[in-house]
Amino acid sequence: MHVQAEMVAERLAVHRFECADPGYPGWVWEVSLSRAPRAKTVTVCEIHLVPGDGALLAPPWIPWEDRLLPGDVSRDDVLPYNANDPRLISGFEQTDEETMDALGIDEMGFGRTRVLSPDGLSEAAERWYASERGPTSGVKPGATCGTCGFLIKMGGSLGQVFGVCANAWAADDGTVVALEHSCGAHSETDTRRRRPQWPIVPSRINDSEIEITELRE
């Protein structure tokens, strides 16, 4: 179906036709026509398919390192270096002061080129707290991870909210859990004692009146 005709120059016109291919909704065919001076016929210069209003276009290109999501990277993949990662800040270098060096080794990540920034620390805490190992998950047996004997405490500010589970029977073994998280493998939990399905009654046989006989061949 003819959509539009436009004169783009003297003796040069462009006619637009709707594309009927279902794979190209919103696209149009553009046909350029021209006529030489004193000529009685027109010449088809070119025909090409162009997107129109509302055409389905590919989304803007996003570099690979920018479109990755958590969980997309396996242990064998290698991420490109990001010098401006807002989650990291520069680590501390060695000084000549013994007290400052000890502080850097124990608390500031001495020996590492970069350490977590306040933003990176906050993002990690929010992500862990909102995960299935946060306080909103678990069977709530009445005892939280903060009171469990299998909890390994963490240092620093994160230790006020999180710890590491060390119970081989727990589904969260070896992972960071919120202190308010709970599960059925808590060190102090117990199950209700159930009665046997079939009652146990005393024997009805009187052993004192049993007569023992010998079999003869």
Side-chain angles (χ1 to χ4, degrees), residues 41-104:
T41 58
V42 297
T43 301
V44 178
C45 300
E46 59 182 5
I47 301 175
H48 51 272
L49 186 63
V50 297
D53 296 337
L56 295 178
L57 300 177
W61 169 253
I62 301 176
W64 174 74
E65 61 269 18
D66 294 336
R67 65 175 182 265
L68 282 176
L69 297 176
D72 292 343
V73 182
S74 68
R75 292 182 177 87
D76 298 328
D77 295 328
V78 179
L79 289 176
Y81 181 77
N82 185 1
N84 300 317
D85 195 329
R87 300 170 300 172
L88 298 172
I89 57 177
S90 298
F92 287 80
E93 298 180 356
Q94 185 176 3
T95 67
D96 295 332
E97 298 183 13
E98 183 177 353
T99 303
M100 292 301 297
D101 289 344
L103 178 64

Side-chain angles (χ1 to χ4, degrees), residues 160-171:
Q160 301 177 11
V161 185
F162 301 101
V164 179
C165 178
N167 188 353
W169 293 101

Side-chain angles (χ1 to χ4, degrees), residues 132-176:
E132 61 181 5
R133 298 176 182 89
T136 59
S137 181
V139 296
K140 307 299 181 187
T144 60
C145 292
T147 59
C148 181
F150 294 106
L151 181 79
I152 300 176
K153 294 185 177 181
M154 300 175 59
S157 59
L158 288 179
Q160 301 177 11
V161 185
F162 301 101
V164 179
C165 178
N167 188 353
W169 293 101
D172 303 320
D173 179 40
T175 60
V176 176

